[in-house]
PDB file of all heavy atoms in Angstrom:
ATOM      1  N   ASP I 193     240.776  -0.679 127.150  1.00 94.00           N
ATOM      2  CA  ASP I 193     240.957  -0.366 128.618  1.00 94.00           C
ATOM      3  C   ASP I 193     239.725   0.429 129.172  1.00 94.00           C
ATOM      4  O   ASP I 193     239.309   0.219 130.331  1.00 94.00           O
ATOM      5  CB  ASP I 193     242.139   0.425 128.926  1.00 94.00           C
ATOM      6  CG  ASP I 193     243.465  -0.495 128.630  1.00 94.00           C
ATOM      7  OD1 ASP I 193     243.454  -1.617 128.922  1.00 94.00           O
ATOM      8  OD2 ASP I 193     244.397   0.116 128.001  1.00 94.00           O
ATOM      9  N   TYR I 194     239.179   1.331 128.247  1.00 96.00           N
ATOM     10  CA  TYR I 194     237.972   2.103 128.680  1.00 96.00           C
ATOM     11  C   TYR I 194     236.822   1.176 128.842  1.00 96.00           C
ATOM     12  O   TYR I 194     236.063   1.206 129.724  1.00 96.00           O
ATOM     13  CB  TYR I 194     237.682   3.217 127.566  1.00 96.00           C
ATOM     14  CG  TYR I 194     238.435   4.399 127.804  1.00 96.00           C
ATOM     15  CD1 TYR I 194     239.811   4.600 127.365  1.00 96.00           C
ATOM     16  CD2 TYR I 194     237.799   5.491 128.386  1.00 96.00           C
ATOM     17  CE1 TYR I 194     240.395   5.733 127.608  1.00 96.00           C
ATOM     18  CE2 TYR I 194     238.548   6.676 128.475  1.00 96.00           C
ATOM     19  CZ  TYR I 194     239.816   6.883 128.081  1.00 96.00           C
ATOM     20  OH  TYR I 194     240.550   7.980 128.367  1.00 96.00           O
ATOM     21  N   LEU I 195     236.712   0.219 127.826  1.00 95.00           N
ATOM     22  CA  LEU I 195     235.529  -0.792 127.872  1.00 95.00           C
ATOM     23  C   LEU I 195     235.686  -1.609 129.174  1.00 95.00           C
ATOM     24  O   LEU I 195     234.619  -1.679 129.911  1.00 95.00           O
ATOM     25  CB  LEU I 195     235.632  -1.706 126.701  1.00 95.00           C
ATOM     26  CG  LEU I 195     235.098  -1.231 125.379  1.00 95.00           C
ATOM     27  CD1 LEU I 195     235.420  -2.238 124.325  1.00 95.00           C
ATOM     28  CD2 LEU I 195     233.591  -0.846 125.529  1.00 95.00           C
ATOM     29  N   LYS I 196     236.806  -2.041 129.552  1.00 94.00           N
ATOM     30  CA  LYS I 196     237.007  -2.757 130.783  1.00 94.00           C
ATOM     31  C   LYS I 196     236.694  -2.009 131.991  1.00 94.00           C
ATOM     32  O   LYS I 196     236.126  -2.418 132.978  1.00 94.00           O
ATOM     33  CB  LYS I 196     238.461  -3.336 130.912  1.00 94.00           C
ATOM     34  CG  LYS I 196     238.671  -4.660 130.349  1.00 94.00           C
ATOM     35  CD  LYS I 196     240.029  -5.347 130.785  1.00 94.00           C
ATOM     36  CE  LYS I 196     241.053  -4.408 131.169  1.00 94.00           C
ATOM     37  NZ  LYS I 196     242.405  -5.050 131.669  1.00 94.00           N
ATOM     38  N   ALA I 197     237.177  -0.756 131.981  1.00 95.00           N
ATOM     39  CA  ALA I 197     237.008   0.146 133.201  1.00 95.00           C
ATOM     40  C   ALA I 197     235.443   0.365 133.375  1.00 95.00           C
ATOM     41  O   ALA I 197     234.910   0.242 134.446  1.00 95.00           O
ATOM     42  CB  ALA I 197     237.630   1.420 133.004  1.00 95.00           C
ATOM     43  N   ILE I 198     234.747   0.643 132.249  1.00 96.00           N
ATOM     44  CA  ILE I 198     233.197   0.859 132.360  1.00 96.00           C
ATOM     45  C   ILE I 198     232.522  -0.378 132.913  1.00 96.00           C
ATOM     46  O   ILE I 198     231.739  -0.274 133.683  1.00 96.00           O
ATOM     47  CB  ILE I 198     232.591   1.340 131.100  1.00 96.00           C
ATOM     48  CG1 ILE I 198     233.383   2.674 130.573  1.00 96.00           C
ATOM     49  CG2 ILE I 198     231.175   1.570 131.119  1.00 96.00           C
ATOM     50  CD1 ILE I 198     233.003   3.087 129.225  1.00 96.00           C
ATOM     51  N   TYR I 199     232.999  -1.482 132.390  1.00 94.00           N
ATOM     52  CA  TYR I 199     232.429  -2.870 132.809  1.00 94.00           C
ATOM     53  C   TYR I 199     232.645  -2.994 134.276  1.00 94.00           C
ATOM     54  O   TYR I 199     231.707  -3.334 135.048  1.00 94.00           O
ATOM     55  CB  TYR I 199     233.184  -3.927 132.025  1.00 94.00           C
ATOM     56  CG  TYR I 199     232.751  -5.351 132.525  1.00 94.00           C
ATOM     57  CD1 TYR I 199     231.650  -5.975 132.165  1.00 94.00           C
ATOM     58  CD2 TYR I 199     233.681  -5.948 133.344  1.00 94.00           C
ATOM     59  CE1 TYR I 199     231.372  -7.309 132.789  1.00 94.00           C
ATOM     60  CE2 TYR I 199     233.475  -7.312 133.857  1.00 94.00           C
ATOM     61  CZ  TYR I 199     232.254  -7.816 133.621  1.00 94.00           C
ATOM     62  OH  TYR I 199     231.979  -9.139 134.002  1.00 94.00           O
ATOM     63  N   LYS I 200     233.916  -2.753 134.745  1.00 92.00           N
ATOM     64  CA  LYS I 200     234.186  -3.007 136.185  1.00 92.00           C
ATOM     65  C   LYS I 200     233.468  -2.005 137.131  1.00 92.00           C
ATOM     66  O   LYS I 200     233.287  -2.323 138.263  1.00 92.00           O
ATOM     67  CB  LYS I 200     235.743  -2.943 136.442  1.00 92.00           C
ATOM     68  CG  LYS I 200     236.457  -4.208 135.852  1.00 92.00           C
ATOM     69  CD  LYS I 200     237.903  -4.113 136.129  1.00 92.00           C
ATOM     70  CE  LYS I 200     238.657  -5.223 135.366  1.00 92.00           C
ATOM     71  NZ  LYS I 200     240.129  -5.044 135.478  1.00 92.00           N
ATOM     72  N   LEU I 201     233.185  -0.890 136.597  1.00 94.00           N
ATOM     73  CA  LEU I 201     232.570   0.093 137.357  1.00 94.00           C
ATOM     74  C   LEU I 201     231.030  -0.020 137.340  1.00 94.00           C
ATOM     75  O   LEU I 201     230.291   0.853 137.922  1.00 94.00           O
ATOM     76  CB  LEU I 201     232.896   1.603 136.847  1.00 94.00           C
ATOM     77  CG  LEU I 201     234.287   2.021 137.149  1.00 94.00           C
ATOM     78  CD1 LEU I 201     234.657   3.271 136.305  1.00 94.00           C
ATOM     79  CD2 LEU I 201     234.442   2.323 138.636  1.00 94.00           C
ATOM     80  N   GLY I 202     230.559  -1.158 136.738  1.00 92.00           N
ATOM     81  CA  GLY I 202     229.176  -1.452 136.719  1.00 92.00           C
ATOM     82  C   GLY I 202     228.255  -0.923 135.568  1.00 92.00           C
ATOM     83  O   GLY I 202     227.120  -0.760 135.633  1.00 92.00           O
ATOM     84  N   GLY I 203     228.983  -0.654 134.462  1.00 91.00           N
ATOM     85  CA  GLY I 203     228.425  -0.063 133.259  1.00 91.00           C
ATOM     86  C   GLY I 203     227.575  -1.064 132.489  1.00 91.00           C
ATOM     87  O   GLY I 203     227.167  -0.761 131.312  1.00 91.00           O
ATOM     88  N   LEU I 204     227.285  -2.254 133.029  1.00 88.00           N
ATOM     89  CA  LEU I 204     226.361  -3.144 132.290  1.00 88.00           C
ATOM     90  C   LEU I 204     224.971  -2.633 132.607  1.00 88.00           C
ATOM     91  O   LEU I 204     224.144  -2.641 131.700  1.00 88.00           O
ATOM     92  CB  LEU I 204     226.496  -4.618 132.925  1.00 88.00           C
ATOM     93  CG  LEU I 204     227.689  -5.466 132.476  1.00 88.00           C
ATOM     94  CD1 LEU I 204     227.508  -6.909 132.905  1.00 88.00           C
ATOM     95  CD2 LEU I 204     227.939  -5.381 131.002  1.00 88.00           C
ATOM     96  N   GLU I 205     224.713  -2.239 133.849  1.00 88.00           N
ATOM     97  CA  GLU I 205     223.375  -1.835 134.212  1.00 88.00           C
ATOM     98  C   GLU I 205     223.215  -0.318 134.349  1.00 88.00           C
ATOM     99  O   GLU I 205     222.204   0.296 134.074  1.00 88.00           O
ATOM    100  CB  GLU I 205     222.931  -2.477 135.472  1.00 88.00           C
ATOM    101  CG  GLU I 205     222.751  -3.980 135.405  1.00 88.00           C
ATOM    102  CD  GLU I 205     223.897  -4.666 136.041  1.00 88.00           C
ATOM    103  OE1 GLU I 205     224.570  -3.952 136.793  1.00 88.00           O
ATOM    104  OE2 GLU I 205     224.070  -5.939 135.838  1.00 88.00           O
ATOM    105  N   ALA I 206     224.198   0.308 134.962  1.00 92.00           N
ATOM    106  CA  ALA I 206     223.960   1.654 135.388  1.00 92.00           C
ATOM    107  C   ALA I 206     224.974   2.651 134.646  1.00 92.00           C
ATOM    108  O   ALA I 206     225.971   2.149 133.921  1.00 92.00           O
ATOM    109  CB  ALA I 206     224.317   1.829 136.849  1.00 92.00           C
ATOM    110  N   LEU I 207     224.785   3.996 134.703  1.00 95.00           N
ATOM    111  CA  LEU I 207     225.632   4.948 134.119  1.00 95.00           C
ATOM    112  C   LEU I 207     226.863   5.113 134.893  1.00 95.00           C
ATOM    113  O   LEU I 207     226.757   5.219 136.137  1.00 95.00           O
ATOM    114  CB  LEU I 207     224.906   6.210 133.914  1.00 95.00           C
ATOM    115  CG  LEU I 207     223.767   6.330 132.836  1.00 95.00           C
ATOM    116  CD1 LEU I 207     222.965   7.643 132.943  1.00 95.00           C
ATOM    117  CD2 LEU I 207     224.268   6.103 131.477  1.00 95.00           C
ATOM    118  N   VAL I 208     227.978   5.158 134.317  1.00 96.00           N
ATOM    119  CA  VAL I 208     229.269   5.327 134.875  1.00 96.00           C
ATOM    120  C   VAL I 208     229.681   6.707 134.585  1.00 96.00           C
ATOM    121  O   VAL I 208     229.707   7.136 133.414  1.00 96.00           O
ATOM    122  CB  VAL I 208     230.259   4.358 134.475  1.00 96.00           C
ATOM    123  CG1 VAL I 208     231.680   4.637 135.074  1.00 96.00           C
ATOM    124  CG2 VAL I 208     229.793   2.910 134.841  1.00 96.00           C
ATOM    125  N   SER I 209     230.129   7.595 135.578  1.00 95.00           N
ATOM    126  CA  SER I 209     230.446   8.936 135.342  1.00 95.00           C
ATOM    127  C   SER I 209     231.910   9.082 134.748  1.00 95.00           C
ATOM    128  O   SER I 209     232.755   8.288 134.996  1.00 95.00           O
ATOM    129  CB  SER I 209     230.376   9.774 136.620  1.00 95.00           C
ATOM    130  OG  SER I 209     231.506   9.549 137.312  1.00 95.00           O
ATOM    131  N   ASN I 210     232.133  10.150 134.025  1.00 94.00           N
ATOM    132  CA  ASN I 210     233.421  10.378 133.411  1.00 94.00           C
ATOM    133  C   ASN I 210     234.511  10.508 134.487  1.00 94.00           C
ATOM    134  O   ASN I 210     235.640  10.136 134.292  1.00 94.00           O
ATOM    135  CB  ASN I 210     233.511  11.710 132.626  1.00 94.00           C
ATOM    136  CG  ASN I 210     232.572  11.652 131.311  1.00 94.00           C
ATOM    137  OD1 ASN I 210     231.738  10.751 131.312  1.00 94.00           O
ATOM    138  ND2 ASN I 210     232.843  12.551 130.442  1.00 94.00           N
ATOM    139  N   LYS I 211     234.071  11.047 135.605  1.00 94.00           N
ATOM    140  CA  LYS I 211     235.031  11.204 136.727  1.00 94.00           C
ATOM    141  C   LYS I 211     235.595   9.883 137.292  1.00 94.00           C
ATOM    142  O   LYS I 211     236.734   9.662 137.493  1.00 94.00           O
ATOM    143  CB  LYS I 211     234.286  11.954 137.780  1.00 94.00           C
ATOM    144  CG  LYS I 211     235.154  12.559 138.949  1.00 94.00           C
ATOM    145  CD  LYS I 211     234.491  13.505 139.836  1.00 94.00           C
ATOM    146  CE  LYS I 211     235.298  13.705 141.055  1.00 94.00           C
ATOM    147  NZ  LYS I 211     234.832  13.083 142.239  1.00 94.00           N
ATOM    148  N   GLN I 212     234.600   8.944 137.386  1.00 95.00           N
ATOM    149  CA  GLN I 212     234.964   7.542 137.829  1.00 95.00           C
ATOM    150  C   GLN I 212     236.009   6.905 136.887  1.00 95.00           C
ATOM    151  O   GLN I 212     236.984   6.404 137.316  1.00 95.00           O
ATOM    152  CB  GLN I 212     233.780   6.688 137.942  1.00 95.00           C
ATOM    153  CG  GLN I 212     232.810   6.942 139.072  1.00 95.00           C
ATOM    154  CD  GLN I 212     231.631   6.038 138.996  1.00 95.00           C
ATOM    155  OE1 GLN I 212     230.721   6.286 138.069  1.00 95.00           O
ATOM    156  NE2 GLN I 212     231.556   5.050 139.817  1.00 95.00           N
ATOM    157  N   ILE I 213     235.695   7.147 135.594  1.00 95.00           N
ATOM    158  CA  ILE I 213     236.611   6.470 134.637  1.00 95.00           C
ATOM    159  C   ILE I 213     237.902   7.191 134.622  1.00 95.00           C
ATOM    160  O   ILE I 213     238.967   6.521 134.629  1.00 95.00           O
ATOM    161  CB  ILE I 213     235.936   6.595 133.166  1.00 95.00           C
ATOM    162  CG1 ILE I 213     234.676   5.856 133.101  1.00 95.00           C
ATOM    163  CG2 ILE I 213     236.915   6.155 132.145  1.00 95.00           C
ATOM    164  CD1 ILE I 213     233.818   6.208 131.842  1.00 95.00           C
ATOM    165  N   ALA I 214     238.008   8.509 134.735  1.00 95.00           N
ATOM    166  CA  ALA I 214     239.181   9.294 134.805  1.00 95.00           C
ATOM    167  C   ALA I 214     240.060   8.767 136.003  1.00 95.00           C
ATOM    168  O   ALA I 214     241.287   8.688 135.844  1.00 95.00           O
ATOM    169  CB  ALA I 214     239.017  10.693 134.850  1.00 95.00           C
ATOM    170  N   GLU I 215     239.480   8.501 137.128  1.00 95.00           N
ATOM    171  CA  GLU I 215     240.106   8.161 138.292  1.00 95.00           C
ATOM    172  C   GLU I 215     240.775   6.768 138.148  1.00 95.00           C
ATOM    173  O   GLU I 215     241.803   6.548 138.460  1.00 95.00           O
ATOM    174  CB  GLU I 215     239.099   8.085 139.522  1.00 95.00           C
ATOM    175  CG  GLU I 215     239.138   9.463 140.197  1.00 95.00           C
ATOM    176  CD  GLU I 215     237.966   9.502 141.270  1.00 95.00           C
ATOM    177  OE1 GLU I 215     237.370   8.478 141.648  1.00 95.00           O
ATOM    178  OE2 GLU I 215     237.626  10.574 141.585  1.00 95.00           O
ATOM    179  N   VAL I 216     239.852   5.791 137.654  1.00 92.00           N
ATOM    180  CA  VAL I 216     240.493   4.540 137.453  1.00 92.00           C
ATOM    181  C   VAL I 216     241.496   4.367 136.467  1.00 92.00           C
ATOM    182  O   VAL I 216     242.545   3.631 136.580  1.00 92.00           O
ATOM    183  CB  VAL I 216     239.238   3.513 136.961  1.00 92.00           C
ATOM    184  CG1 VAL I 216     239.725   2.094 136.538  1.00 92.00           C
ATOM    185  CG2 VAL I 216     238.301   3.369 138.154  1.00 92.00           C
ATOM    186  N   LEU I 217     241.424   5.128 135.325  1.00 93.00           N
ATOM    187  CA  LEU I 217     242.444   5.059 134.228  1.00 93.00           C
ATOM    188  C   LEU I 217     243.633   5.993 134.440  1.00 93.00           C
ATOM    189  O   LEU I 217     244.594   6.062 133.684  1.00 93.00           O
ATOM    190  CB  LEU I 217     241.787   5.213 132.854  1.00 93.00           C
ATOM    191  CG  LEU I 217     240.827   4.133 132.456  1.00 93.00           C
ATOM    192  CD1 LEU I 217     240.229   4.445 131.127  1.00 93.00           C
ATOM    193  CD2 LEU I 217     241.499   2.773 132.398  1.00 93.00           C
ATOM    194  N   GLN I 218     243.377   6.937 135.443  1.00 92.00           N
ATOM    195  CA  GLN I 218     244.457   7.938 135.751  1.00 92.00           C
ATOM    196  C   GLN I 218     244.769   8.768 134.569  1.00 92.00           C
ATOM    197  O   GLN I 218     245.868   8.911 134.068  1.00 92.00           O
ATOM    198  CB  GLN I 218     245.600   7.336 136.400  1.00 92.00           C
ATOM    199  CG  GLN I 218     245.307   6.702 137.712  1.00 92.00           C
ATOM    200  CD  GLN I 218     246.588   6.146 138.407  1.00 92.00           C
ATOM    201  OE1 GLN I 218     247.464   5.512 137.810  1.00 92.00           O
ATOM    202  NE2 GLN I 218     246.636   6.297 139.750  1.00 92.00           N
ATOM    203  N   VAL I 219     243.679   9.384 133.927  1.00 93.00           N
ATOM    204  CA  VAL I 219     243.895  10.227 132.769  1.00 93.00           C
ATOM    205  C   VAL I 219     243.067  11.576 133.029  1.00 93.00           C
ATOM    206  O   VAL I 219     242.155  11.537 134.005  1.00 93.00           O
ATOM    207  CB  VAL I 219     243.341   9.635 131.485  1.00 93.00           C
ATOM    208  CG1 VAL I 219     244.292   8.530 130.991  1.00 93.00           C
ATOM    209  CG2 VAL I 219     242.035   8.993 131.537  1.00 93.00           C
ATOM    210  N   ALA I 220     243.354  12.547 132.233  1.00 93.00           N
ATOM    211  CA  ALA I 220     242.711  13.847 132.412  1.00 93.00           C
ATOM    212  C   ALA I 220     241.127  13.624 131.911  1.00 93.00           C
ATOM    213  O   ALA I 220     240.972  13.028 131.040  1.00 93.00           O
ATOM    214  CB  ALA I 220     243.381  14.878 131.650  1.00 93.00           C
TER     215      ALA I 220
END
Side-chain angles (χ1 to χ4, degrees):
D193 294 317
Y194 275 79
L195 282 174
K196 265 195 339 178
I198 300 171
Y199 170 82
K200 288 183 189 167
L201 289 165
L204 286 189
E205 296 102 16
L207 288 172
V208 175
S209 76
N210 291 20
K211 190 165 167 260
Q212 284 173 290
I213 299 171
E215 270 168 19
V216 169
L217 295 175
Q218 297 185 318
V219 286

